[in-house]
Amino acid sequence: MNNIIDGIKISTEIRKDIKQIINETKITPALAVIQVGDNKASSIYIKNKKKACEEVGIRFEHIKFNDTISEELVINEIKRLNNDISINGILVQLPLPLGFDEGKIINTISPVKDVDGLTYQNVGNLVLENDCLVPCTPLGVMELLKAYNVRLSGKNVCLVGRSNLVGKPLIQLLLRNDATLSICHSKSLDIKNHTKQADVLIVAAGHPNLITKDMVKDGVVIIDVGINKEGNLLRGDVDFDGVSKKASLITPVPGGVGPMTVACLLKNVVKAYQIQN
Ligand code: GUN
């Protein structure tokens, strides 16, 4: 039985669709990514985003600042990009170095160019179920569930992790699909009590091997959002070897949610272009 969710296959299909839309409508959307400092993981993510953009015909601008730059200059650059009609998407790569006010910087981005869906306006509209730009990783998770016909209505969905980038927006998207939610986090006293009940378990905690096979029920669908570096290897938050024996469907790391995040970013850049034009 093949129970492995193929994020590479699904993301490739999305990228093909986007490339076709861009070719047929003869548009050139553009994405600006702002990086402050030299976070190694961020540099790799940005390189991947650049490659994916250029493959489908999205112009990519990488704006890199030293971590000695002032917050005011970063904000001025965002304001300049807001007013530049040739730029459709603005993304500030996180985390920012210590001392930068993330909320203030993110909320300088014009909501119609906020392809990460992190501004107050997009967060509010997500909660109210209005059309808006939605964070890429949560979108990618929902696309995977849809591609594998995982029904959510009424099901017990357990979410482990409550970050602004993944957990919190997922709460809204899952609720919108009529899931019954239980949300666990670092202060939860008995995670296993919740994960054991889950028909669908989504883990975005950033702890390798947090979920082991004794914590899940037979037939569970597992979405592992974790990306943890161990030497040269990438690992998720789920003990894949053990848990995959009980799961009806499970995402691998790498090759599960990761490629979906990038594909959904491309989708958001095109959506931002369409909102602006
Ligand atoms: N850092 C890790 N993932 C992301 C993401 O999706 N968006 C931004 N802006 N920063 C990140």
Side-chain angles (χ1 to χ4, degrees):
M1 181 188 68
N2 180 12
N3 62 347
I4 298 179
I5 293 178
D6 189 345
I8 294 176
K9 175 167 161 266
I10 307 299
S11 65
T12 303
E13 286 166 8
I14 293 173
R15 285 156 72 146
K16 240 195 243 162
D17 288 348
I18 292 169
K19 189 171 182 168
Q20 194 181 348
I21 291 169
I22 290 175
N23 281 338
E24 283 177 359
T25 54
K26 299 188 168 51
I27 60 175
T28 310
L31 170 67
V33 172
I34 297 177
Q35 181 180 15
V36 184
D38 254 328
N39 184 298
K40 247 170 115 180
S42 288
S43 296
I44 295 170
Y45 290 143
I46 292 170
K47 207 174 104 192
N48 290 339
K49 288 170 185 174
K50 180 173 193 280
K51 185 162 173 272
C53 280
E54 290 175 349
E55 268 169 20
V56 299
I58 292 173
R59 190 169 67 79
F60 188 93
E61 220 174 280
H62 182 187
I63 297 158
K64 194 162 186 284
F65 295 117
N66 280 329
D67 59 7
T68 52
I69 193 172
S70 69
E71 186 170 290
E72 192 191 355
L73 284 177
V74 175
I75 284 177
N76 285 346
E77 179 64 9
I78 294 173
K79 287 180 179 165
R80 185 189 71 76
L81 293 165
N82 284 341
N83 292 321
D84 181 345
I85 57 162
S86 76
I87 293 290
N88 307 107
I90 303 169
L91 185 156
V92 175
Q93 189 68 32
L94 302 174
L96 287 165
L98 232 56
F100 286 84
D101 184 339
E102 192 177 296
K104 187 172 168 195
I105 289 175
I106 294 289
N107 281 291
T108 304
I109 300 172
S110 163
V112 295
K113 297 191 177 185
D114 169 29
V115 287
D116 254 339
L118 293 175
T119 56
Y120 298 138
Q121 185 165 329
N122 282 312
V123 173
N125 278 328
L126 178 63
V127 174
L128 297 171
E129 301 192 25
N130 296 324
D131 189 38
C132 61
L133 289 162
V134 176
C136 308
T137 300
L139 261 191
V141 170
M142 299 308 287
E143 290 278 348
L144 282 182
L145 292 171
K146 196 168 86 184
Y148 282 81
N149 296 313
V150 178
R151 300 243 178 275
L152 294 170
S153 182
K155 296 284 179 61
N156 288 335
V157 179
C158 179
L159 186 55
V160 183
R162 55 173 164 178
S163 67
N164 290 341
L165 210 52
V166 183
K168 284 181 194 158
L170 262 176
I171 293 171
Q172 302 305 328
L173 296 172
L174 293 163
L175 212 49
R176 193 185 279 197
N177 283 275
D178 304 319
T180 305
L181 289 184
S182 93
I183 299 141
C184 298
H185 45 77
S186 53
K187 299 288 188 294
S188 298
L189 292 180
D190 188 1
I191 290 184
K192 183 175 170 179
N193 184 32
H194 296 272
T195 56
K196 264 280 193 195
Q197 310 288 325
D199 302 304
V200 178
L201 174 57
I202 305 174
V203 195
H207 291 286
N209 289 323
L210 179 68
I211 305 297
T212 46
K213 68 173 188 289
D214 58 303
M215 297 171 76
V216 303
K217 71 177 180 185
D218 281 324
V220 65
V221 173
I222 303 269
I223 306 289
D224 188 350
V225 187
I227 298 179
N228 306 292
K229 245 189 131 190
E230 276 186 5
N232 281 331
L233 288 180
L234 286 185
R235 265 179 175 286
D237 291 346
V238 176
D239 168 30
F240 184 89
D241 291 343
V243 172
S244 62
K245 293 185 177 74
K246 290 175 90 174
S248 61
L249 284 170
I250 184 166
T251 57
V253 178
V257 175
M260 295 299 292
T261 297
V262 180
C264 289
L265 172 63
L266 306 178
K267 255 187 144 172
N268 275 353
V269 176
V270 171
K271 182 170 177 173
Y273 179 95
Q274 287 163 345
I275 294 170
Q276 290 155 46
N277 292 273

